[in-house]
Amino acid sequence: MKKNNGLAEGPDGLVYTARLPLSSTTLNYLADLIRGHLKKIGSRWRALPAGKIAAIVLAVLRCDQRPGDLADGNGVHRSTVSR
């Protein structure tokens, strides 16, 4: 699978969101793992809460969403999504 890091260009510069068919149990499980990791490494804050980070991770893995598009849709910088 190749990385899709370029920005999407459209006639109006629209940003499309991903719709993921997954259960809230899956999203909560991943969010709990992320919260545990952030606590373990001593991270004091993040631009997004763990639940939103989990949704972005799943969108990238399942839908091959572009990091720039996800960043714009969530109000964060592209490098935040890439990390």
Side-chain angles (χ1 to χ4, degrees):
M1 181 166 85
K2 75 176 198 176
K3 288 190 174 185
N4 193 1
N5 291 330
L7 294 175
E9 294 183 26
D12 299 322
L14 295 174
V15 175
Y16 298 95
T17 58
R19 186 173 187 100
L20 299 174
L22 55 92
S23 68
S24 59
T25 305
T26 302
L27 188 61
N28 289 334
Y29 176 72
L30 181 57
D32 288 341
L33 289 175
I34 291 171
R35 275 187 213 97
H37 176 70
L38 294 176
K39 187 173 182 177
K40 180 181 174 185
I41 65 171
S43 178
R44 292 185 292 219
W45 67 274
R46 291 283 173 207
L48 297 172
K52 193 75 122 170
I53 294 170
I56 290 171
V57 167
L58 292 171
V60 169
L61 294 175
R62 292 183 122 191
C63 299
D64 193 30
Q65 291 288 309
R66 292 181 172 114
D69 294 342
L70 289 169
D72 289 341
N74 288 289
V76 294
H77 194 269
R78 184 187 167 280
S79 63
T80 301
V81 173
S82 296
R83 280 187 296 231

